[in-house]
Amino acid sequence: SQQGEEDPQALSIQEGENATMNCSYKTSINNLQWYRQNSGRGLVHLILIRSNEREKHSGRLRVTLDTSKKSSSLLITASRAADTASYFCATDIPGGGADGLTFGKGTHLIIQP
Amino acid sequence: EPEVTQTPSHQVTQMGQEVILRCVPISNHLYFYWYRQILGQKVEFLVSFYNNEISEKSEIFDDQFSVERPDGSNFTLKIRSTKLEDSAMYFCASNLDRDMPTNEKLFFGSGTQLSVL
């Protein structure tokens, strides 16, 4: 798998249900970030979790990080139609200054009203 | 909240032509970036810029690409001779506030959709 690879590629759920997206990566990281992209728009930063953290919350978002499995999950609780978007994980790799984040292909989330 | 702005939102050009994509990063940020996203594919890092010079660049950022910060507020990406495969959404981003050097999250613009015909 590639660095920062999300699954599933697409997810469709009913409004009010929880949505879980996963991200796997291959190398060591400084931090892992989740971004959201509405169709045709830029990416919006949602949450950052550092390599020494295991879980983080922000509103209806919960992110976990398992560095031993090199994986992260993003949980959106009580989903709303407005949560429909693509969600990307991005990893910040040690050793570079501003060498950019490595993004996955994203999970396209559709919330059915 | 301050935001990164990009112009134009959509640029159509003929193959072989030069294009300049423009960005105004958030004013007190120190690092500036260009990323691109080919339709249906992942967001790819092109280049980062700090202290008026390129900090890092990817393999994609070949001699056809250049960046410039001409006047202290604008940050531009130039593609000298466009190819069909340059068609993509190009995103500008900035980060690292002078007052908050540990803020790693990126602030993205809405992107410029480049179509090379």
Side-chain angles (χ1 to χ4, degrees), chain A residues 2 35 37 45 50 98 101, chain B residues 31 35 37 42 48 104 106:
Chain A
Q2 298 179 34
Y35 288 81
Q37 183 184 34
H45 182 269
R50 300 188 189 286
L101 298 176
Chain B
Y31 279 90
Y35 285 79
Q37 185 181 31
K42 59 174 62 180
S48 61
E104 298 111 315
L106 291 180

Side-chain angles (χ1 to χ4, degrees), chain A residues 12 15 18-19 23-24 32 34 36-38 44 47 50 61-63 71 77 82 86 95 97-98 106 109:
Chain A
S12 180
E15 195 167 23
N18 295 342
C23 170
S24 60
L32 185 144
W34 285 91
R36 164 197 167 123
Q37 183 184 34
N38 287 81
V44 175
I47 197 164
R50 300 188 189 286
L61 304 180
R62 174 177 163 248
V63 169
S71 67
T77 60
S86 291
L109 176 65

Side-chain angles (χ1 to χ4, degrees), chain A residues 50-66:
Chain A
R50 300 188 189 286
S51 59
N52 61 351
E53 297 175 314
R54 292 296 165 257
E55 189 170 310
K56 210 158 181 182
H57 296 254
S58 176
R60 293 185 295 113
L61 304 180
R62 174 177 163 248
V63 169
T64 61
L65 180 65
D66 187 336

Side-chain angles (χ1 to χ4, degrees), chain A residues 2-5 30-31 33 35 37 40-45 48 50 88 92 95-106, chain B residues 31-33 35 37 40-45 47-50 55-57 89 91 95 102-111:
Chain A
Q2 298 179 34
Q3 183 79 357
E5 191 168 287
N30 287 327
N31 65 67
Q33 305 177 35
Y35 288 81
Q37 183 184 34
R41 306 286 297 175
L43 294 96
V44 175
H45 182 269
L48 180 155
R50 300 188 189 286
F88 296 86
D92 179 24
D99 56 355
L101 298 176
T102 302
F103 285 82
K105 285 189 178 180
Chain B
Y31 279 90
F32 315 119
Y33 305 81
Y35 285 79
Q37 185 181 31
Q41 299 190 25
K42 59 174 62 180
V43 176
E44 301 173 293
F45 168 74
V47 65
S48 61
F49 193 86
Y50 171 74
S55 180
E56 300 285 344
K57 59 183 181 180
M89 180 75 92
F91 293 107
N95 75 345
T102 59
N103 183 13
E104 298 111 315
K105 78 177 190 180
L106 291 180
F107 293 78
F108 282 84
S110 294

Side-chain angles (χ1 to χ4, degrees), chain B residues 1 47 54-55 62 85 101 105:
Chain B
E1 182 170 283
V47 65
I54 290 175
S55 180
D62 62 21
E85 54 265 36
K105 78 177 190 180

